Amino acid sequence: MVDRQFSEPALAELYDSFSRETGDFEYYLPLLMSVSSVLDVGCGTGELLRLAREAGHTGRLCGLDPASAMLGLARRKRADIEWVLGDLASIEWSEEFELVVMTGHVFQVLIEDDQLRDSLTAIHSALSKDGCFVFETRNPRARAWESWTPDHAVETMHHGQVVRMSHQVETPVGGEFVSFTTTFTSPAWDRPEISRSTLRFLGIDDLSSFLSAAGLAIVEQFGDWDGRVLTEASPEIITVTRRI
């Protein structure tokens, strides 16, 4: 599980280690390589754009993220990519990108109705004529948060030391919103690092309504990264939209 809990400077360097397990980049990278201009919203440390550039992408690659610590790491990776500090509310691109992507379940960080509407409107504006917006959100019917417990903690190595990441969901869970704490611990640290997050789990119908209202037509949807059909039991709602 990857979202904004890594935005603090002390944790940003752990982002890539904990996030490369879903197969999402294997899906997104060919999409990036098929167009000449890409905006990655919530780009984090810029790993997807780095992979595209190193795979031979010669066009415009732009990463947008509100976390300065994340973008600092991104700039170290590639200086020939455009890195922009901010969020969708702070930019005014007009028909500049053939493709906008939002990976790492960042879409679920947009929890307020107005925030979601404004963000989708900004994405529509940033897209060129017939441009595509592609993203994923967790399917609420799969109830992924039920496995976000301390006994499902994961570990990685960082500077030769083990770092452990565990989650604790605030219960009871009601409606579309799930709040939880993420705790990072390491024998090399004096104390744990703890962050709190809230994510929104939109169902398929509500998701379609928000997209349609923003002038984004759903072209296709998948239930997982291998392209399988979207069902009620699918873990993901992977959505490809086109600007109307």
Side-chain angles (χ1 to χ4, degrees), residues 147-240:
S147 67
W148 299 352
T149 58
D151 56 322
H152 287 89
V154 294
E155 296 181 345
T156 190
M157 294 297 296
H158 182 64
H159 296 318
Q161 296 288 338
V162 173
V163 179
R164 182 180 179 88
M165 179 178 71
S166 64
H167 306 289
Q168 183 68 60
V169 174
E170 298 176 11
T171 56
V173 173
E176 300 174 338
F177 304 96
V178 177
S179 296
F180 58 97
T181 56
T182 305
T183 302
F184 300 86
T185 57
S186 174
W189 299 352
D190 295 333
R191 59 180 176 79
E193 295 281 349
I194 301 174
S195 67
R196 183 180 184 276
S197 304
T198 297
L199 301 178
R200 187 173 188 176
F201 285 74
L202 274 177
I204 296 172
D205 292 340
D206 288 337
L207 179 62
S208 177
S209 295
F210 275 107
L211 293 168
S212 177
L216 296 165
I218 295 175
V219 176
E220 54 187 351
Q221 289 180 308
F222 307 104
D224 211 342
W225 299 114
D226 57 5
R228 70 184 64 179
V229 174
L230 175 63
T231 69
E232 288 194 357
S234 298
E236 305 281 352
I237 305 174
I238 302 164
T239 304
V240 179

Side-chain angles (χ1 to χ4, degrees), residues 8 10 12 25 36-37 76 201-202 207-208:
E8 294 298 322
F25 281 9
S36 62
S37 55
R76 291 184 210 169
F201 285 74
L202 274 177
L207 179 62
S208 177

Side-chain angles (χ1 to χ4, degrees), residues 26-192:
E26 287 77 5
Y27 171 81
Y28 282 110
L29 186 57
L31 299 179
L32 269 65
M33 300 305 295
S34 69
V35 298
S36 62
S37 55
V38 180
L39 171 62
D40 184 354
V41 177
C43 65
T45 64
E47 183 66 7
L48 178 59
L49 297 181
R50 179 194 70 82
L51 290 171
R53 186 67 85 204
E54 295 187 358
H57 196 291
T58 59
R60 183 183 183 188
L61 298 176
C62 180
L64 175 71
D65 201 280
S68 58
M70 290 283 197
L71 284 190
L73 295 173
R75 291 188 180 101
R76 291 184 210 169
K77 292 181 178 182
R78 299 290 306 203
D80 57 353
I81 293 173
E82 185 179 346
W83 306 112
V84 179
L85 180 64
D87 56 24
L88 287 167
S90 65
I91 54 91
E92 294 183 357
W93 284 304
S94 178
E95 299 187 10
E96 297 187 32
F97 299 97
E98 294 177 61
L99 174 67
V100 175
V101 297
M102 190 180 286
T103 70
H105 301 109
V106 171
F107 186 86
Q108 292 183 254
V109 178
L110 305 173
I111 60 175
E112 301 290 342
D113 282 0
D114 287 345
Q115 180 187 29
L116 182 52
R117 292 190 188 100
D118 291 347
S119 296
L120 291 174
T121 297
I123 288 170
H124 180 279
S125 178
L127 285 170
S128 61
K129 184 180 179 180
D130 296 327
C132 291
F133 170 46
V134 186
F135 67 98
E136 86 282 342
T137 182
R138 299 176 184 88
N139 185 357
R141 292 187 177 275
R143 303 178 67 84
W145 62 85
E146 292 183 347
S147 67
W148 299 352
T149 58
D151 56 322
H152 287 89
V154 294
E155 296 181 345
T156 190
M157 294 297 296
H158 182 64
H159 296 318
Q161 296 288 338
V162 173
V163 179
R164 182 180 179 88
M165 179 178 71
S166 64
H167 306 289
Q168 183 68 60
V169 174
E170 298 176 11
T171 56
V173 173
E176 300 174 338
F177 304 96
V178 177
S179 296
F180 58 97
T181 56
T182 305
T183 302
F184 300 86
T185 57
S186 174
W189 299 352
D190 295 333
R191 59 180 176 79

